[in-house]
Structure formats: structure tokens, C-alpha cells
Amino acid sequence: MKGVFQLKQHQTNVRKELVAGLTSFFSIVYIIAVNANILKDAGIPLEAGILATVLSSLVGCLLVAFVANAPLILVPGMGINALFTYTIVGSMGLSYQEALGATVLAGILFVVVAFTGLSSLISRAIPVSLKESISVGIGLFIAFIGLQKSGIVTGNTSHFVALGDLSAPLVLASIINLILTLFLFLKKIPGNFLISIIVGTLVAWLFGIVDLGSFASEPISFQSYGNVWMSADFRHMASIPFLTACFSLVLVLVFENIGLVHSQVDGMLQAPEKNGKSLKSVSISAVACGLLGTSPTVSTVETAAGITAGGRTGLTSVTTGLLFLGSLFFMPLIKIIPDAAIAPILIIIGGLMLTNITKIDFSDFSEAFPAFLVILMIPLTYSIVDGIAFGFIAYPLLKMFSKKREQLSVSMFVISFLFLANFLLQSVL
């Protein structure tokens, strides 16, 4: 084990790596319940979503461990899972099987990007304001979904959305859990989201939302998962919605992972030589996700917890991955976690993603307004793809109106034209 992961060369040992892996696991284990609940909204059975999340996390962690020997955590990412469920399936009308097919194809394209160095070319072609606005817009979208799941915000026929019934048990439980989760998060208590899910489930039980009597130590069942595993559907891969879904997934995968992997491997780990291999691991993992039945994995910000705890090699990732596998024994408990315990985490994660807005140059209106459109239109159209499209179409127009055409790249024109063509095709078909 020491030889495989070169522990001595990395000035670490087995104990440090195991502790770091354990730390990483408890910082990210909440994703099992959260991602499975989001996949459920796409039509994937909850138990199947749990299995898909666990297995894809295991595969992702093992890939980055043995390919890059880096202590990263690869799990289905927040934001891209919302794109998968609420935009590709919900707004664009693809079945979850077709969305999984788009995930596989997007993963393959991401592999090409990661293995050929196109990642840096694409990253340079897209202005910082648009890249950061996508994160902010997705953050608002995730928070909006959390507010809906909690009942704090509800539909209204006269003005679309309104404040929910604050006396309803779901709303009261969600607000109490949100306060609790904020306290745990701000106090930087290890495993804060995991603790909030456990306590939040108990709070929901006190309000009569959860029936703990339904909890039973049932054996792990793969029955529902058998219909999801390897169910990716490519029959309509030449259709505009399928290609648009694939294109959008690639954009988010590239933007999100390039930044995260660079900050973690180059910045925190100070091992730039592992940057390329880490990105390749993420890309291969994305392909596997489509086959395993979930939205793509990404390198998560919780990786920082493991690195801070002393993780330096892939042994940290192996430890985290195996702990994910062991979590399947708690599936009966995971299955009863209610929206009242999930919603606060979505709201807080959305708030965290909002911090990227500081990287947008609001002093230049030709940068600020397209970014504003992305941020505004993602939650208001309930579609990450359409929100991105509005900003990308507006960007070259404002640059030309401002006589700043030299700031536009050919790649930017091509991407903007593709988004415009998609809108035009939608209007005539």
C-alpha cells in the first residue's frame, strides 16, 4: 500500500491518510441523501438513486486514487444534478434514461477535452463573468428548489410564487432545521450537514412528517436499481433536445471541474503535476455515472476537509470510497430522510455558490449585463440551459455595441450561435 501510493515520498503515513479519508467522508456523506432525493424528482426510484450515488462515488474516488494518486473526493455534484433533473428531464422533456444517455455522451466529450488539452482552450474562450454567473445562477436555482421543497415558497396562480403557510408542519420543521444547520455550519462542526440531516429527520418526526415506525433493518435490495443501471437511452441522440442537453452538461462539467481541480491540486495540495491526471479521472468518472444511473460526478469543495486533515495521496480517496460503500448498510435510514431535512442544505449550498458573484466585473456593463441575465434567467425560467443561453447570446451583442469586438473569440461566437440556433429551432419545431 505504501509503495502504490508513495506515502514516504509524499511525507505522510497510513494513519494520516485513513484519518483524512474519514474526515472527507463525514464532510460529504450528506450527498447520498441529497442527490438521491433530486434524482427521485427525475423519476429514478429513491433506493436506486441511493445505490447509484454510492457506486458512482466509489468508482470516482477509486479512479482519482489510482490514476492521479490525489486525495480528491468525486461524487455527483450539486448544480449539475439540478441541471440533470430540473432542466434536462423537467424542462426539456427527456426521460431520465435519455438524460443518462446524454450524461454518457457528455462524459465521453469531456474525456476528449481532458485528454487533449482542449480544457484550457475552452476555459480561455469563455469570459470570467459568464463562467462565474453560471455558478451564481445555479446557486440561486438550488436555493429556490430548497425553498420549494421546504414549503417556504409555494406556487400561486396570481403571481406565480408566494410565501407558503408558515403554520404548516413541513414549513415549521424546515425552518427549525435551517436554523440548526446554519448554526452547525457557522460553528464549523465536523460533519455539520450529516448531523443536520439526522437531527432534522428527528425534528420532522416530532412534527408528524416522518413515520419512524416504517424504519426497518431490511436487507439491501437491488431490484429497483436493476431498471436504472445501464439504462442509458441513445435512440434520440440526434434530436435537438438531446444534443442541447449533452452540450450543456459538457459546459458545466468543464467549467466546474477545471476550477475546482486547479484550486485543490495546484493550490491546496501544491502538486501541479497531478492536475492533468486528476482532470482525466473526473472525465472518466463522468462517463461511468451515466452507466451507473446518476448525474455526473465532480471534484467537490469538501475535498479541502481531507487535505486539511493531512490527506496527500490516493489512499485518502480509497478510504472515502470504501466508506461510501459501507454506507449502504444504512440504506433503510437514508430512505426515510424527509424534504424538511434536505431543503436547508440546498438553501445553504445555494448561498455558498452566490459568493462567486464577487468575481464578476460590474463596473463594465458589457460584462455585467450578460452575467445578470444568466443569474436572473436560470431560476426564473426554471432551466439552467435557457438561463445560460440568454447570457451567452447577449454577450457578443453588448461587446459589439460597446465597440469591444476585440474581446470576443471565435469560440465565443460559435457557442453563442449554437445557443441562438437552439432557440430558433425550438420556436419552429
Side-chain angles (χ1 to χ4, degrees):
M1 184 180 293
K2 293 182 179 180
V4 173
F5 297 112
Q6 301 175 328
L7 301 185
K8 189 175 182 180
Q9 293 92 317
H10 288 83
Q11 298 180 336
T12 185
N13 55 53
V14 173
R15 180 183 172 278
K16 284 183 180 179
E17 296 294 302
L18 294 179
V19 170
L22 186 65
T23 303
S24 295
F25 174 73
F26 279 112
S27 70
I28 193 61
V29 64
Y30 70 87
I31 197 67
I32 299 174
V34 175
N35 189 63
N37 271 272
I38 288 177
L39 293 177
K40 183 178 68 173
D41 291 342
I44 295 176
L46 180 61
E47 191 172 68
I50 292 171
L51 282 161
T53 303
V54 167
L55 294 177
S56 61
S57 300
L58 171 65
V59 170
C61 288
L62 292 181
L63 276 170
V64 78
F66 290 104
V67 173
N69 194 21
L72 305 185
I73 310 171
L74 300 190
V75 299
M78 294 300 300
I80 201 163
N81 55 5
L83 170 62
F84 179 95
T85 293
Y86 302 108
T87 297
I88 295 175
V89 176
S91 297
M92 297 173 64
L94 274 68
S95 66
Y96 78 76
Q97 293 90 344
E98 290 172 323
L100 291 174
T103 297
V104 172
L105 185 56
I108 293 171
L109 293 174
F110 187 27
V111 167
V112 174
V113 168
F115 278 77
T116 60
L118 284 172
S119 54
S120 58
L121 178 65
I122 295 174
S123 183
R124 289 195 303 268
I126 309 302
V128 172
S129 60
L130 288 181
K131 284 188 284 191
E132 300 301 337
S133 66
I134 292 172
S135 295
V136 176
I138 291 176
L140 289 178
F141 189 40
I142 290 173
F144 185 40
I145 293 167
L147 289 168
Q148 288 179 306
K149 282 183 174 291
S150 68
I152 296 173
V153 168
T154 186
N156 185 287
T157 55
S158 61
H159 39 81
F160 304 109
V161 293
L163 185 66
D165 180 4
L166 296 182
S167 64
L170 172 62
V171 177
L172 290 173
S174 297
I175 291 174
I176 292 172
N177 291 339
L178 177 59
I179 294 171
L180 169 69
T181 308
L182 285 168
F183 173 80
L184 294 171
F185 180 78
L186 291 172
K187 290 296 183 181
K188 299 181 180 179
I189 295 173
N192 43 54
F193 284 165
L194 174 62
I195 296 171
S196 75
I197 285 177
I198 295 172
V199 178
T201 301
L202 293 175
V203 170
W205 169 69
L206 292 174
F207 278 88
I209 300 170
V210 172
D211 179 14
L212 293 182
S214 64
F215 172 74
S217 299
E218 301 173 353
I220 300 171
S221 173
F222 289 85
Q223 185 175 358
S224 64
Y225 185 55
N227 297 323
V228 175
W229 180 72
M230 297 293 286
S231 66
D233 186 352
F234 301 95
R235 287 176 297 175
H236 300 103
M237 64 182 296
S239 68
I240 296 301
F242 190 101
L243 293 175
T244 302
C246 181
F247 177 62
S248 304
L249 284 166
V250 172
L251 278 181
V252 176
L253 278 170
V254 171
F255 295 159
E256 191 164 354
N257 284 297
I258 288 177
L260 282 170
V261 170
H262 176 76
S263 64
Q264 292 161 356
V265 177
D266 290 10
M268 294 193 67
L269 200 59
Q270 295 185 341
E273 71 279 1
K274 296 184 179 183
N275 193 39
K277 290 183 178 179
S278 297
L279 195 61
K280 291 173 183 176
S281 303
V282 179
S283 67
I284 298 171
S285 179
V287 179
C289 285
L291 301 175
L292 291 170
T294 181
S295 53
T297 48
V298 301
S299 178
T300 67
V301 294
E302 284 82 2
T303 288
I307 295 176
T308 302
R312 293 295 178 269
T313 73
L315 182 55
T316 294
S317 299
V318 169
T319 303
T320 303
L322 293 177
L323 288 170
F324 265 109
L325 187 62
S327 68
L328 286 177
F329 291 103
F330 297 93
M331 182 183 287
L333 177 61
I334 297 171
K335 286 167 62 176
I336 66 170
I337 296 171
D339 283 345
I342 299 294
I345 294 175
L346 296 177
I347 295 168
I348 292 173
I349 289 175
L352 291 172
M353 295 177 73
L354 192 66
T355 59
N356 291 47
I357 201 168
T358 59
K359 301 175 184 177
I360 299 172
D361 182 10
F362 284 101
S363 64
D364 182 349
F365 195 71
S366 65
E367 294 284 336
F369 190 73
F372 163 73
L373 284 178
V374 173
I375 295 169
L376 181 71
M377 297 305 288
I378 286 178
L380 291 188
T381 61
Y382 219 76
S383 170
I384 295 171
V385 174
D386 290 342
I388 292 174
F390 273 98
F392 274 69
I393 294 170
Y395 189 85
L397 290 175
L398 266 73
K399 286 298 179 183
M400 289 187 289
F401 294 161
S402 304
K403 297 182 180 180
K404 297 178 180 179
R405 188 178 180 131
E406 70 280 357
Q407 296 180 14
L408 294 169
S409 64
V410 175
S411 301
M412 186 65 212
F413 271 115
V414 171
I415 294 173
S416 300
F417 174 77
L418 289 174
F419 276 121
L420 178 60
N422 177 54
F423 274 154
L424 293 173
L425 286 171
Q426 285 184 40
S427 65
V428 299
L429 293 179

